[in-house]
Amino acid sequence: MHNSPNSAQPFDLFIIGGGVNGCGIARDAAGRGLSVGLAEMNDLASATSSASTKMFHGGLRYLEYFEINLVRHALKEREVLLRAMPHISWPMRFVLPYHRDMRFEGETPTSKILNVVMPWMRGRRPAWLIRLGLFMYDNLGGRSLLPATRTLKLRNTAEGAPLEARFEHAFEYSDCWIEDSRLVVLNARDAQDRGAQIMTQTKVISAARVGDLWEVQTEGPYGLQTHHARILVNAGGPWVGDIIQTKVRVNSTEGVRLVRGSHIVTKGLYDHDKCYFFQGSDGRIIFAIPYETDFTLIGTTDAEHDDPSKAPECTPEERDYLIQFANQYFESNISADDVVWTYSGVRPLYDDGATSATAATRDYVLKVDDAGAPILNIFGGKITTYRVLAEDAMDKLLPYIPTLEPKWTAGVALPGGDFPVAEVGTRIAALLSEYPFLTEKWAKRLFRAYGTHAQIVLGDAKTAEDLGQEFGATLTEAEVRYLMTYEYATTSDDVIWRRSKLGLRMDNAQIAALDVFMRGVKEAS
């Protein structure tokens, strides 16, 4: 689904980077009537935006850093996003087991204050402080869809069953799950439906100011191309600094701090649908989350990552750290043999000079350089605030586009998400009724991926055979063709690791057959 770019007319906005921020800005700008081009050197969401912990959340632990505004904005945004994408996002309850030995991460402002006023606590997190944090979490951003915090007794309950017996009490609060890379693709798709040109596998070679425009050289499926734009947006994520220094060559005193977050996926460790929020003896926290029906996702780490060109990988040390952390809580210990997959992403945090990766701000910073045609550089950000980041980006650009139409994205559904949050179950049942050859798991997977567009994937099929070649794990030719036509997929990795997580269920022979099929489709087109 490449648009062959038309280079004759200058774009109002040319965006470098096809992660969540770039695609979110493309959608927002295109919906305000601007002409938009976006270049992504790989697949959409191929870096940071597909390697998150998969949550729309306020960031409970950021309260200890007094990042009240960041948390408030994120909490307000959770339900806005949930309503716009109820197929790829859904509410989740988080269980926070409490034990008196829980400790702060030593560098938090809260821990420093408590060490002075309550030195006898020796860095421990008191229960009253967690209750206060959860009270703020419930009330800072307003809630109407998500239930409030409650206290749980863990003895003889489903929530307590997988945990060591020493955990007798827990707090339970609400946040939301998000299919992160699908979020990016659907923003790109909506941007294109509104007129944007989305160019994947297209690398920006250079960009320079020529007169009152940017001249951007790209290399991609259509060879070398020259584009012109009134404004350039650098949404390069981990590469934002590299783009400033080597592609556009403008001066900037701002920088990013690259922090690697690694995750492990194990066989399912428990059989309920709630997540666990675990606090470690080192003061850090990790999550254990039900994942893809049969698995458990555990993460994340915070480690410095020096070079954006070096692909992040979960190191054996990080894997073992997460295993040991989880084993402090789970009654049945896990080992490296239980790990079925790992992934790692680099978070491009704004460099605020914090002493540790954990303490570095998760808020974003937007900077315009207008010594000539304007460029907007984006530092930091988190997946929960991508939509408000896009709105703030457009506000920053307002002086250069005085005719800009007003904000519009709050409450506007992404493709396939045009139904109420409460109707997910009835919609899946209706899909099963319309296509009785589907199994319940298959129907749920399709609806959770495509929402109301699942019918477009399935078309007028009366049997599973009508969907063409079957690659394994319910992936069919019809779905692959849909992903290639409407969702920019060009390789098997795009399909089985970013548009879905079917790679967890497919073997090498099935993936090889998928590769052969996709190459054939590309050659035929």
Side-chain angles (χ1 to χ4, degrees):
M1 186 174 163
H2 282 289
N3 287 357
S4 181
N6 170 12
S7 303
Q9 283 291 104
F11 292 108
D12 293 316
L13 220 61
F14 192 96
I15 300 164
I16 306 174
V20 71
N21 291 333
C23 292
I25 292 169
R27 178 190 185 225
D28 189 312
R32 300 194 199 205
L34 300 185
S35 59
V36 178
L38 180 148
E40 163 54 49
M41 62 181 174
N42 299 308
D43 180 31
L44 298 173
S46 57
T48 304
S49 296
S50 60
S52 76
T53 312
K54 327 291 182 199
M55 287 190 291
F56 280 152
H57 67 129
L60 181 60
R61 75 180 186 83
Y62 306 146
L63 290 175
E64 290 185 1
Y65 293 91
F66 300 154
E67 295 219 34
I68 307 298
N69 271 339
L70 171 67
V71 176
R72 181 188 289 114
H73 285 143
L75 288 171
K76 281 183 177 174
E77 191 64 4
R78 286 181 313 184
E79 295 196 7
V80 174
L81 299 174
L82 187 57
R83 286 189 169 95
M85 52 197 81
H87 49 331
I88 61 166
S89 181
W90 52 89
M92 262 186 174
R93 295 291 277 173
F94 286 73
V95 176
L96 194 166
Y98 180 73
H99 193 271
R100 66 181 301 277
D101 289 337
M102 286 169 175
R103 296 186 177 278
F104 286 101
E105 201 275 321
E107 293 302 315
T108 72
T110 305
S111 69
K112 289 175 179 174
I113 291 169
L114 280 188
N115 284 341
V116 172
V117 299
M118 299 173 67
W120 60 89
M121 291 297 293
R122 293 190 178 89
R124 291 196 297 268
R125 268 188 186 100
W128 64 261
L129 187 74
I130 295 174
R131 281 196 201 95
L132 175 63
L134 287 167
F135 175 80
M136 292 175 69
Y137 206 68
D138 271 354
N139 293 287
L140 267 175
R143 288 173 301 102
S144 59
L145 294 174
L146 300 174
T149 296
R150 67 183 185 122
T151 305
L152 281 183
K153 285 194 168 76
L154 293 174
R155 287 268 171 92
N156 304 314
T157 63
E159 295 89 350
L163 302 177
E164 291 184 356
R166 65 193 176 97
F167 297 106
E168 297 181 9
H169 299 93
F171 304 99
E172 183 182 292
Y173 68 96
S174 290
D175 262 323
C176 299
W177 175 264
I178 177 62
E179 298 288 355
D180 52 6
S181 46
R182 292 209 56 72
L183 169 68
V184 179
V185 167
L186 294 182
N187 270 275
R189 165 90 187 274
D190 201 47
Q192 180 163 308
D193 288 348
R194 297 172 192 277
Q197 289 191 358
I198 307 294
M199 297 165 260
T200 62
Q201 310 296 331
T202 301
K203 185 164 188 168
V204 171
I205 305 300
S206 68
R209 289 171 166 132
V210 177
D212 56 359
L213 297 175
W214 282 97
E215 186 172 276
V216 184
Q217 307 286 341
T218 62
E219 185 175 11
Y222 300 98
L224 289 169
Q225 298 252 324
T226 302
H227 315 271
H228 293 92
R230 294 179 178 87
I231 299 171
L232 194 62
V233 175
N234 174 8
W239 291 271
V240 63
D242 180 64
I243 290 166
I244 290 169
Q245 290 160 17
T246 68
K247 302 293 191 289
V248 298
R249 295 186 176 88
V250 295
N251 292 322
S252 173
T253 56
E254 315 295 328
V256 288
R257 181 174 192 160
L258 303 182
V259 176
R260 186 175 67 252
S262 294
H263 302 75
I264 58 175
V265 175
T266 69
K267 62 185 185 183
L269 302 179
Y270 53 90
D271 56 8
H272 59 77
D273 62 357
K274 295 177 182 177
C275 309
Y276 289 105
F277 178 120
F278 293 154
Q279 305 177 83
S281 54
D282 61 355
R284 290 206 65 255
I285 62 106
I286 63 166
F287 297 98
I289 310 175
Y291 190 58
E292 296 293 317
T293 310
D294 302 315
F295 304 94
T296 300
L297 170 65
I298 299 172
T300 177
T301 59
D302 275 321
E304 303 287 353
H305 190 86
D306 298 330
D307 182 359
S309 64
K310 184 182 174 189
E313 290 182 2
C314 179
T315 64
E317 292 76 19
E318 286 176 300
R319 177 201 64 199
D320 292 345
Y321 171 81
L322 292 172
I323 288 170
Q324 288 158 12
F325 201 141
N327 284 345
Q328 293 170 26
Y329 281 82
F330 287 123
E331 181 66 38
S332 297
N333 281 0
I334 56 173
S335 71
D337 293 339
D338 297 309
V339 176
V340 298
W341 183 52
T342 67
Y343 69 88
S344 192
V346 175
R347 295 187 285 271
L349 307 181
Y350 177 66
D351 191 354
D352 60 352
T355 52
S356 71
T358 306
T361 182
R362 265 53 178 173
D363 216 343
Y364 56 81
V365 173
L366 309 177
K367 293 288 182 178
V368 175
D369 177 321
D370 59 1
I375 176 173
L376 171 66
N377 293 308
I378 298 168
F379 303 92
K382 59 202 292 288
I383 208 159
T384 313
T385 48
Y386 90 91
R387 192 197 64 82
V388 286
L389 182 151
E391 286 187 340
D392 287 351
M394 300 314 292
D395 286 347
K396 282 273 189 191
L397 297 176
L398 192 57
Y400 316 101
I401 322 167
T403 57
L404 192 66
E405 294 173 21
K407 298 176 181 181
W408 65 276
T409 56
V412 177
L414 285 172
D418 47 340
F419 62 92
V421 175
E423 286 185 13
V424 173
T426 54
R427 297 280 180 148
I428 292 170
L431 193 66
L432 270 166
S433 173
E434 190 176 346
Y435 299 96
F437 60 86
L438 296 174
T439 64
E440 196 168 333
K441 270 188 176 179
W442 189 359
K444 185 178 179 183
R445 181 183 75 76
L446 288 174
F447 193 79
R448 279 298 189 196
Y450 307 108
T452 56
H453 288 198
Q455 277 97 334
I456 302 172
V457 175
L458 295 166
D460 54 8
K462 298 288 185 286
T463 66
E465 290 69 34
D466 292 341
L467 298 172
Q469 188 174 344
E470 206 269 335
F471 299 100
T474 70
L475 181 66
T476 63
E477 179 180 329
E479 186 174 357
V480 175
R481 287 186 182 276
Y482 176 90
L483 291 170
M484 295 181 78
T485 304
Y486 296 107
E487 292 199 0
Y488 315 93
T490 62
T491 70
S492 61
D493 265 13
D494 300 349
V495 170
I496 66 171
W497 291 119
R498 284 181 287 278
R499 308 304 181 278
S500 73
K501 289 294 177 284
L502 293 174
L504 288 167
R505 304 178 189 280
M506 292 172 68
D507 61 33
N508 290 339
Q510 292 169 326
I511 296 166
L514 175 60
D515 265 326
V516 169
F517 173 78
M518 292 180 74
R519 277 200 302 273
V521 171
K522 281 189 285 189
E523 285 163 10
S525 63

